[in-house]
Amino acid sequence: MLDAARELPCQHCGAQDGTVVAAHSNQLRDGKGRGLKAHDYRIASLCYRCHSELDQGTRMGKAERLEMWEDAHRKTIGLFFERGVIGLL
């Protein structure tokens, strides 16, 4: 899934500029902790600019960051299903 996430456009701004990565959730409920990334299934395809704004930016409040990431995550997982990256048993 991490490799597949890099092949998608940014699920926030639509960029396809070669900087898209699997941006992990920053939420404790998703396994994030001091020195730990969230689970690999809690990712969103985000470009460098959007990922940086999400993690270190100052333009959004906490609720806006969560909403941005959750929206991008839903879109990413939806595209994974559509493209057969993940599927139902």
Side-chain angles (χ1 to χ4, degrees):
M1 286 182 20
L2 301 180
D3 290 336
R6 289 191 289 270
E7 296 178 19
L8 298 176
C10 177
Q11 295 303 296
H12 181 65
C13 75
Q16 293 180 287
D17 59 2
T19 69
V20 176
V21 297
H24 289 80
S25 169
N26 290 327
Q27 300 298 306
L28 291 174
R29 67 178 181 212
D30 295 324
K32 170 73 174 161
R34 177 166 273 173
L36 297 173
K37 287 193 179 281
H39 301 291
D40 284 346
Y41 60 84
R42 292 294 286 167
I43 58 171
S45 293
L46 294 176
C47 68
Y48 176 81
R49 187 176 56 85
C50 292
H51 192 186
S52 294
E53 181 60 34
L54 182 71
D55 286 352
Q56 290 97 24
T58 58
R59 290 185 233 160
M60 294 184 287
K62 187 176 181 178
E64 291 171 303
R65 290 174 197 274
L66 179 59
E67 184 178 344
M68 173 203 177
W69 187 87
E70 289 288 347
D71 183 54
H73 170 71
R74 280 190 299 275
K75 290 176 182 177
T76 299
I77 298 302
L79 286 170
F80 283 173
F81 274 104
E82 290 174 14
R83 295 177 180 206
V85 175
I86 55 177
L88 303 174
L89 298 177

